[in-house]
Amino acid sequence: FLKSLDMDVKFNLVQFGSGISPLWTKAQEYAEDTLKEASDWIAAMQASLGCTATHKALTWAYEQTTQHVDGPTDVFLLTDGQCDSIQDVLDVVDKNADSARLFPIGLGSDCGFYQVREMAHRSGGSAEFASDKTEGALTSTVQNLLRSSQKCSLRNVKANWNLRGTYENKFELELPPRTDYAVFSGQPLVQFALLKPKEVGGVHENGEQQTENGCVVPMEVASDNEGWLECTLTAVGPPPSNRPLSYTVKCSNYVP
């Protein structure tokens, strides 16, 4: 991981458990001497700090980014256990989302899948998982995250869908519970929704009787009609945030 960093960055390391143990008091320039010191520190590291106090570690890391680092900051988190308090962790991630992205790596089968994904999602970063803790598996996982960190990303990307024309009065869109996402440059955003006929007195607007399992809308509803659905995107991105979003919307139908 360390040898894959760019030469023009500053970096620091912190080991955490029930407490935290940083390598330096503030981030250092990436150079041959600091790389060797960090490598030796990692080689001597032992997992002896108790439970996984992720909140303390992230709070310390975020404080460093505001006090000692100028410019964009990425935080890489390696964890193999459950967070001590997931809500406290998510709160500190939300608080610092404008200043730093988080790229967590979940190690082994005991890490909290939801926790790791949610931390990355809220910060505009991405997450990876390595069930195998061997050096080869970790190398591949870390390289994936490093490639992601070199791309710009948008967070809280929300797709606002509106039916148009006759479809607005006859149908409604049922979206999934989560409608905000983190998206990296060049990455497609795929969102599924149900197009459902509106109900009037137990009978759907398209004339089909309501059934216990609902009504399946045929594919022809949107197959040859342009302009029946419009979409606008909103997002939070890195400065300058006044740049307009560039996107292409493609709508497809699928009936299982």
Side-chain angles (χ1 to χ4, degrees):
F1 171 75
L2 294 178
K3 294 180 180 179
S4 300
L5 295 176
D6 294 332
M7 293 298 296
D8 59 347
V9 302
K10 290 184 177 181
F11 76 107
N12 200 355
L13 302 172
V14 56
Q15 183 184 14
F16 64 95
S18 56
I20 60 174
S21 177
L23 172 57
W24 300 300
T25 56
K26 62 180 181 180
Q28 302 293 312
E29 297 283 351
Y30 186 80
E32 185 176 346
D33 58 334
T34 54
L35 173 60
K36 184 180 185 306
E37 184 177 355
S39 299
D40 293 342
W41 185 78
I42 292 175
M45 183 184 298
Q46 296 181 356
S48 58
L49 294 180
C51 65
T52 308
T54 310
H55 177 259
K56 288 183 180 180
L58 285 178
T59 299
W60 183 89
Y62 284 132
E63 288 175 351
Q64 299 303 302
T65 65
T66 57
Q67 296 175 9
H68 304 297
V69 179
D70 296 325
T73 302
D74 292 328
V75 177
F76 293 85
L77 172 71
L78 280 71
T79 179
D80 60 358
Q82 299 283 339
C83 298
D84 49 350
S85 173
I86 181 56
Q87 190 56 55
D88 289 342
V89 169
L90 294 179
D91 287 344
V92 75
V93 170
D94 289 337
K95 181 180 178 180
N96 294 276
D98 289 333
S99 60
R101 297 182 302 177
L102 182 61
F103 293 84
I105 300 176
L107 304 176
S109 58
D110 294 332
C111 71
F113 180 84
Y114 164 78
Q115 299 169 358
V116 172
R117 290 291 298 271
E118 190 67 12
M119 285 187 285
H121 164 81
R122 295 194 180 202
S123 71
S126 63
E128 291 284 344
F129 297 88
S131 57
D132 186 354
K133 298 182 182 181
T134 61
E135 182 176 352
L138 289 178
T139 298
S140 176
T141 301
V142 169
Q143 288 176 343
N144 289 338
L145 276 190
L146 283 174
R147 282 193 290 267
S148 295
S149 69
Q150 294 170 353
K151 299 179 180 180
C152 293
S153 65
L154 298 173
R155 59 185 174 86
N156 293 344
V157 178
K158 296 182 180 180
N160 304 300
W161 300 96
N162 295 300
L163 293 172
R164 304 178 64 179
T166 58
Y167 293 93
E168 181 179 5
N169 297 324
K170 293 183 178 181
F171 299 94
E172 60 184 359
L173 285 174
E174 183 175 321
L175 298 175
R178 159 147 285 167
T179 57
D180 57 321
Y181 306 86
V183 182
F184 284 80
S185 176
Q187 176 185 3
L189 171 61
V190 179
Q191 186 178 68
F192 294 92
L194 293 177
L195 182 63
K196 302 174 63 177
K198 289 184 177 179
E199 301 171 9
V200 180
V203 179
H204 292 290
E205 277 285 353
N206 65 353
E208 295 188 11
Q209 294 291 328
Q210 180 180 359
T211 64
E212 181 179 353
N213 296 322
C215 175
V216 177
V217 181
M219 295 182 68
E220 289 74 22
V221 165
S223 59
D224 298 318
N225 295 275
E226 296 183 0
W228 67 279
L229 181 66
E230 66 176 359
C231 176
T232 57
L233 294 182
T234 59
V236 177
S241 58
N242 58 346
R243 295 174 57 186
L245 290 175
S246 176
Y247 59 90
T248 300
V249 177
K250 180 179 181 181
C251 184
S252 301
N253 289 304
Y254 173 70
V255 177

